[in-house]
Amino acid sequence: MAAKHTLSEALKTIRKARGLSQEAFSDVSSRTYMSSLERDLKSPTLHKLAELCEVMEVHPLTLLTLAYAGKSQKQAEQLLAQVRRELETVAKQGNVP
């Protein structure tokens, strides 16, 4: 499944929706780094993504869902249903609690 948005667009969308400036992330990154992420010049590590999401007070999956589903609620619901099914399959096959 191709991303409808990009991670950079999703990051910027959530940051603005939360009323945060790029400077609000100064505890976890520089304004220059945030700008690079939002212009799709760099990609964050999973650890950095988690830190950025903490500042925005959203779960990293929220950011990724927006990146893949865009702003379509229907696409988001379909994507989340797919993730639920895949997690159930993995849990059954791998004896994951």
Side-chain angles (χ1 to χ4, degrees):
M1 170 185 251
K4 292 226 172 210
H5 266 46
T6 63
L7 185 60
S8 60
E9 290 172 341
L11 182 62
K12 188 173 186 177
T13 297
I14 293 175
R15 178 182 63 76
K16 287 186 171 193
R18 294 293 200 205
L20 298 169
S21 67
Q22 290 178 338
E23 289 80 10
F25 295 82
S26 63
D27 285 346
V28 297
S29 75
S30 69
R31 190 205 58 77
T32 305
Y33 181 69
M34 284 300 297
S35 177
S36 295
L37 291 176
E38 290 184 0
R39 289 183 293 135
D40 209 17
L41 301 175
K42 293 187 177 185
S43 296
T45 63
L46 193 55
H47 178 75
K48 183 56 72 176
L49 191 73
E51 289 181 335
L52 298 172
C53 285
E54 276 187 41
V55 174
M56 295 185 292
E57 298 181 344
V58 297
H59 193 282
L61 288 178
T62 302
L63 178 64
L64 294 175
T65 300
L66 183 59
Y68 277 88
K71 295 179 182 177
S72 165
Q73 186 67 31
K74 183 178 178 182
Q75 288 285 335
E77 291 300 326
Q78 290 173 345
L79 178 59
L80 293 172
Q82 177 183 343
V83 169
R84 255 190 241 78
R85 287 189 306 272
E86 291 171 358
L87 287 172
E88 288 171 4
T89 300
V90 169
K92 288 176 186 173
Q93 293 172 346
N95 296 323
V96 176

